[in-house]
Every structure is written in structure tokens, then in C-alpha cells.
Amino acid sequence: MARVLINLPRTARRGEVVEIRTLIQHVMETGYRPGADGVVAPRDIITGFTCVYNNEEVFAAELAPAIAANPFLSFSLVAAESGILAFTWTGDNGFEQTETRSLTVT
Amino acid sequence: MRRRALLGAALLAAPALAQAAPKVVVIGGGFGGATAARALHHLGVSVTLVEREATYLSCPFSNAVIAGLREMEAQRFGYEGLRREGIAVIHREARTVEGRQVVLADGATLPFDRLVMAPGISLRPDAIPGLDTEAMPHAWRAGPQTLLLRRQLEAMEDGGVVVLSAPANPYRCPPGPYERASLIAHYLKTQKPRSKLILLDEKDAFSKQKLFEEAWAALYPGLLEWVPLSAGGKVVEVDAAEQLVRTEFGEHRAAVASIIPPQAAGRIAQAAGLTDRSGWCPVDPVSFESRQRPGIHLIGDAIIAGAMPKSAFAANAQARVCAEAVAALLRGEAPAPPKLINTCYSLVEPGYGISIAGVYQPANGLLADVPGAGGTSALGAPAAVRAAEAGYAEDWFRTITADAFG
Amino acid sequence: MPALAGQPAEAITGAMLAYRAGQGSPTVMDRIARGFTEEEIRAIAAWVSASR
């Protein structure tokens, strides 16, 4: 399990634009970098990210080898109704991790 | 084309040499500027130093002042030594540089054949919304801010949380925030042991990191917490009234906070058009001449120096090299490619010193590490080595201040 | 620490070369000496020796 940081408000007014920040601790090994022994380290990156809000995908991103370690993503959405936000990171070697947060809309 | 350029240069240089002894003006009387003025004077060049303040307060060792281990007066240096040697020192603010003249704040002008600028840094508190530097002192220039932070720590009740921040690279004194965290942690451990210190960092790696972490684990476990960028260490906003420091992922309520804002080259370097889009000054690594305005040389924290850090030692080394280059250029000779040294000591508690050193030479238009040289003190070294390095730090301070200020 | 200025150039050169070779128990001079050639070290020693 990678360490994940997520920042979003616990509550929002209906129709309010909410900013969300996420960060996952990951090496983002490019697959091009030789190690001290001269052997190129195999690629190991996060390749995809989605945010699902009450079963609807509201944000997605594709990540590439040029993206720095510990990828930070910031995006916004409109608070429509109370519910669950599910954040999923997928990557090389079958990596997949999902975190959820609740948002109360008043 | 090439011949015409050379002819042009010769025509420009000739009258100055023919009419009178060439004049060099140095702006800035810190470690870089004061050293440069003295070195030029010793090379027989007529020098005028322009420095706004009557005395200089040293940033090196000012973290010890914050932690109550040293008094401010030990940081103060005057310019009597330079005057005694015959260097003209003018205590006025330099506003800008127009053509081959320095324009002072009162409108007076100082003509020069070559200009050396050591303008240091400017701080950009506006980059952090809500930041009030009186409420959350940066203390990143020795002076009233240093004493303000010290008084805030002294007034804090035992059990408070001290929040410090370290900016992203580049900034003045790369190990400085970590020395500050160490010495404040020492103060808390000895005076207010129920308190805690959180160091919020906009980076995931820093200078002498393994040595600092080794010391923190031994000396300040449970007291000092370092929060790197990847754990949410970047400060994005503060609330001065509520003493809240907000990061990308949370907030910390501070009894005392010291927020070090992002930085750029000193204001006059910007006014004189010597900075690039980064906010710092690109220079030739052999002559330290500006890449943007010929005839103006820059040294110290304000420049883009490649691998060389922004430190007093680096400024002092660059000043000596720059003085030789300026003297050579005034004689119509090409400056010799230099090698420069930097050594930087940090204290993690009284009697416990660690160091990093480097040797640099011009490569690909910047200053690059000489391969195989430099590095940090050994990990796991015995206490006697740490004590020796703490002593050498004091020796270094006496040596460099004597070299800069006489 | 004794002052370096005015010490014989040969002694300074010898010490620097020893530090560069990892001898003695330096804290920082080994790291610095490794950045210089023998010729450069001799030039530094001559300069330091000649300074007051």
C-alpha cells in the first residue's frame, strides 16, 4: 500500500465548486534510468487515476514516465449531492489502490 | 563580424585606461561584496563600496542567536577595516544602474569602468497568501527578524507547537532551515520540554539530510518532526491572526511560526535588468560577468551558480575569483579559469557540528562539481569528530569575517 | 588551530597530498584536497606560504 494524501472539504453547499488535491507516494521509475550497476531499472509508474463521485467518473488522468515521483493531482468538481468519492490509482505490475472520502452537501 | 566585435571592445576599453586609473564600484557590503572590495584594493584597483547599512549582521550563526545560544552583537561587523585600508565606503542605497553609472537613492551617480554587484536576496512573502512577517518571522536576513523570532520562542509557554517552513530550491543557505530546526529543538528540549517542532518542507530531499536525520533521531526523538513535500509539507497559505499554517493537505496551529518565503536576487539586480525569468542572475562562470549586461559582474546568493550553493563561503570564494577576473580584464587580459571551494558547517546542538564541502570549476557555462571531491561528514562518526567540527565552524566564522571585513 | 599563512610551502604541500591520499584524520580537508591536482596543490601552498 502506498501512502496517499487527499484533501477535500468535508462539507460543501449544493452547486459549490470544490477543489480536490491528491498525492500518492510512488517512485515513478521511468524505465530509462541505469542503476549503479549499469542495469536499467524496469519501468514502474502510476499509469492512471480516476475519481468516481457516486458511481459516476468525474475526473480521470493518464500518467506517463516523464511525471515526477509522488504524483500530485489537483482538480475541481461541482458538489451536486452528498455521497462518496472514490479515488483509484492504477499502475505497472498490476498496481491498484482505491481510497474513499465522503462529502456532505447542504 | 568577429573582427568588428573585437575592434568595438578595444575602442570601448581604451579611453578609460588612457585617461585615469580604472574605477570599480562594488554594490553590497556582505560576505561577497566586502571580500571583493578588499581583494580588488589589494590588486591595486581603485574601489568604492556602496552599502546601505552602517554595519553588517552575519546570517551564518544567526540560528544560534534565535535559539539563545549567542548574542546578536557577535554577528555585527563594521567597515572600519576597509576604510583603514583606503577603500572608499559610501553608506547609501544604490537604486539602479544606468549605462556605466550607479544611481544612488538620492540621485547622485557613481561612474565605473567595471561594476561588481553582491546584492544578496530579496524575499517574496507575497508568494504565500496571508503571510505577515511580523506575526511569523522568516528571520532569513539577520537583524530585527532574528530577535523577533527569539523573543517569540522565549515568550512561548511550555507545550506549544513551533512550526517552521523550508522553501523549494533555490534559496539562501540550503542547510539553514534544518540547522534552525535543530537549534530550536535544542532550546525546546532544554527549556520547554513538553513542546514540539514541526518542520514543513517543500522538498523531499535536502542538504546533509542523512546527517541531520541521524542527529534528530539521537537528540530530538518525538520532539522534531520533518514533513517532506510528499507527506504534505508544502505551505500554501497562512492565517496570521489564527496562527494557522495551511499545507496542501492539512493545517497546523502554531504557538510560534517561522515561515521562510521563496526568494529571488536582490532588488537592485532586478531593477538593473540582471535577472532572468527565474529571478536570479545568469553569469559567466570564469569572470562572473553578467550574461545580460557586459561590464557588470555578480557574485554571491544572487547568481545562478550551478552546483555551487548560496552560502557566505561561496560568496567569499566567488569574490576573490571575480576580483582577479576584473583586474585581468582591466589590464586587457583574459581571466584564468578558476577552481572554487565551498564548505558549510551546521550545528545540530552546541558542540555537535556537521559539514558539507565541494570543489567547483566552470563546465558547460555553469559551475560544476569537480568529480571525486567534496561530500559530507561521515555518518556514525564519534562525538569527538562532531565536537571538532563544531569548533572548526567557530574557526571558520572568525576566518571568513576577518577576510571580508578586515 | 595554528595559522597556515607563513608555514613552509613544502609542509603545506605534504599535508594536502597526505589528506588527498586519505591519510591522517582530516574532517574536511580530504574532501577538498581531492578536488585539486598536485600542481594546483603546490601553487596553493606557495601562495599560502607567501601570505602574511
Side-chain angles (χ1 to χ4, degrees), chain A residues 5 7 21 23 25 70 72, chain B residues 204 229-232 247-249:
Chain A
L5 299 171
N7 187 10
R21 298 190 187 118
L23 183 152
Q25 292 190 355
N70 310 317
F72 171 97
Chain B
D204 279 321
L229 175 69
S230 61
T247 65
E248 286 167 332
F249 294 98

Side-chain angles (χ1 to χ4, degrees), chain A residues 10-29:
Chain A
R10 283 197 193 88
T11 62
R13 264 188 231 93
R14 189 176 308 277
E16 187 180 340
V17 175
V18 171
E19 191 194 352
I20 295 175
R21 298 190 187 118
T22 70
L23 183 152
I24 184 163
Q25 292 190 355
H26 196 280
V27 291
M28 296 296 278
E29 184 61 58

Side-chain angles (χ1 to χ4, degrees), chain B residues 379-400:
Chain B
L379 275 173
V385 170
R386 305 297 190 219
E389 290 221 281
Y392 295 156
E394 301 259 2
D395 294 339
W396 169 81
F397 187 74
R398 276 191 288 276
T399 305
I400 197 165

Side-chain angles (χ1 to χ4, degrees), chain B residues 63 66-67 140 149 153 162-166 175-189 196-200 206 212 216 220 223-226 258 260 347-349:
Chain B
N63 281 327
I66 292 168
W140 215 238
L149 181 54
L153 287 166
V162 178
V163 176
L164 306 182
S165 80
Y178 312 94
E179 181 188 66
R180 174 174 296 182
S182 304
L183 293 181
I184 292 177
H186 170 77
Y187 170 76
L188 298 176
K189 181 180 165 180
K196 193 170 158 44
L197 186 152
I198 297 171
L199 173 53
L200 300 171
F206 60 89
F212 275 112
W216 292 344
Y220 311 122
L223 195 165
L224 192 164
E225 181 192 353
W226 175 60
S258 171
I260 302 168
L347 288 178
V348 292
E349 70 170 355

Side-chain angles (χ1 to χ4, degrees), chain B residues 254-295:
Chain B
V256 173
S258 171
I259 304 298
I260 302 168
Q263 297 151 33
R267 189 204 51 78
I268 190 171
Q270 301 170 40
L274 300 165
T275 51
D276 70 9
R277 279 186 305 176
S278 71
W280 304 96
C281 304
V283 297
D284 177 273
V286 174
S287 64
F288 290 86
E289 190 165 4
S290 167
R291 291 200 186 280
Q292 308 199 171
R293 282 185 73 174

Side-chain angles (χ1 to χ4, degrees), chain B residues 42-61:
Chain B
H42 293 168
L43 289 164
V45 176
S46 167
V47 189
T48 302
L49 174 68
V50 181
E51 161 59 42
R52 183 177 48 205
E53 307 294 334
T55 57
Y56 180 72
L57 290 166
S58 161
C59 272
F61 276 87

